[in-house]
Amino acid sequence: MLPWDGVVEFVAVAQTESFTQAASRLGISTAQVSRQVSQLENRLAIKLFYRTTRKVSLTEEGAIYFRHCRQVLDGLEEAERAISSLQHSPQGLIRMTAPVTYGERFVMPIVVDFMAQYPQVEVICELTNKQLDLVDGSYDLAIRLGRLADSSLIAKRLSSRRQYVCASPAYLKQYGVPENLTDLNQHDCLIGTNSHWHFDEQGKEKVIKVQGRLQCSSGMTLLDAAIRGMGVVQLPGYYVNEAIAQGQLTVLLAQYQQAKEGIWALYPQNRHLSAKVRLLVDMLAEKLP
């Protein structure tokens, strides 16, 4: 048995979580995929997958092996492109993740445009507000908003956003207008994933811990609650711009507004950025508002 026997089949099963789908992707039979993976497991003397009638998932050893195999296959794929002039016609799978609302409204329409332009590209995108581990999850790319935690990931700035503090005219008429940051303590704030709001006060960052009856990870829910007069909210412009323009929300504390935050493309430092991912990142940088 050659060292590469079964590796391609193993990676395909790991990516699709299905022997049947892996066989379809590779253009071979399910039995052949199963046979190659079983022979690979025997050669390595480890179990790579947990198999049930409903699900196929990687074992701990399988996940470690997959990360290394994926890097090697990515390198081979890039080498083939370099010698066959495929840099301008990318193909293969891109695994990515993005925040839910921003991903739905802005990222995925551009991704679909990208797939239409390059028909041989496949995309698996997980929209979640959780910050997934790109290395453990074998993701090629993540879109992240705002401040970045220190990490080993490589970041490319794609666009920017600005945070706005707003409330409805009805709420302000009943409870008054906050004139300074201390006044927020007297108001019912609509809280997202973080109860600490960031401001700029005379050139220095000021962080205020806010309180309120509603806390929710959905920006659209907070926007709806603010429009309905439930409290004061801090949200990025792409949530509130339309409501502000229509008079449904009033901007507050503008003198304390921070500079724009970044919208970023992140990818693992130890993973070579393939042509298809690089082209997608370039398109996102060009088209994101």
Side-chain angles (χ1 to χ4, degrees), residues 50-276:
Y50 296 115
R51 301 169 174 85
T52 69
T53 55
R54 294 184 176 182
K55 186 177 180 181
V56 176
S57 58
L58 287 165
T59 63
E60 182 179 357
E61 295 83 359
I64 295 171
Y65 190 62
F66 172 67
R67 288 202 297 271
H68 289 280
C69 289
R70 176 70 191 277
Q71 292 175 25
V72 173
L73 291 180
D74 281 348
L76 288 174
E77 182 181 310
E78 188 70 14
E80 289 186 7
R81 286 200 182 91
I83 63 172
S84 59
S85 301
L86 289 178
Q87 293 281 6
H88 302 295
S89 182
Q91 59 181 305
L93 177 66
I94 299 175
R95 287 178 54 86
M96 61 181 294
T97 178
V100 177
T101 302
Y102 191 82
E104 289 175 340
R105 292 182 61 184
F106 301 110
V107 175
M108 289 313 297
I110 298 172
V111 171
V112 172
D113 287 344
F114 181 82
M115 296 176 70
Q117 184 173 340
Y118 301 108
Q120 295 183 4
V121 169
E122 301 175 60
V123 174
I124 296 176
C125 182
E126 182 166 354
L127 296 180
T128 175
N129 293 329
K130 296 179 180 179
Q131 295 204 357
L132 303 178
D133 189 306
L134 301 195
V135 176
D136 286 346
S138 299
Y139 291 97
D140 301 293
L141 177 66
I143 307 301
R144 297 271 169 85
L145 309 178
R147 299 161 180 265
L148 296 178
D150 292 337
S151 72
S152 60
L153 301 175
I154 297 175
K156 174 181 171 63
R157 190 179 183 119
L158 301 176
S159 186
S160 60
R161 68 174 187 175
R162 191 183 293 277
Q163 297 277 5
Y164 292 86
V165 176
C166 304
S168 72
Y171 176 88
L172 297 174
K173 182 178 180 180
Q174 182 173 358
Y175 297 102
V177 177
E179 300 291 345
N180 54 59
L181 299 182
T182 305
D183 288 349
L184 286 176
N185 295 328
Q186 310 302 320
H187 286 269
D188 199 351
C189 294
L190 305 168
I191 304 170
T193 55
N194 191 348
S195 62
H196 292 82
W197 291 3
H198 294 260
F199 298 93
D200 185 288
E201 187 175 50
Q202 297 180 349
K204 296 183 179 179
E205 184 180 47
K206 184 79 170 181
V207 181
I208 301 293
K209 181 173 175 57
V210 296
Q211 302 179 64
R213 293 187 298 138
L214 175 62
Q215 182 165 0
C216 181
S217 61
S218 166
M220 295 303 295
T221 298
L222 299 179
L223 172 63
D224 178 65
I227 291 173
R228 293 166 61 180
M230 296 294 294
V232 179
V233 73
Q234 185 181 61
L235 285 171
Y238 52 83
Y239 282 103
V240 299
N241 284 337
E242 184 176 346
I244 293 169
Q246 294 178 358
Q248 296 174 297
L249 292 177
T250 300
V251 177
L252 308 171
L253 304 171
Q255 69 273 31
Y256 299 103
Q257 192 174 49
Q258 282 198 314
K260 292 181 178 179
E261 301 173 321
I263 295 172
W264 309 90
L266 274 69
Y267 52 92
Q269 192 170 28
N270 63 349
R271 184 170 300 158
H272 181 66
L273 192 62
S274 65
K276 59 181 180 285

Side-chain angles (χ1 to χ4, degrees), residues 15-32:
Q15 289 175 334
T16 61
E17 298 183 343
S18 165
F19 281 83
T20 302
Q21 292 183 35
S24 177
R25 174 181 292 180
L26 297 174
I28 58 179
S29 69
T30 304
Q32 184 175 350

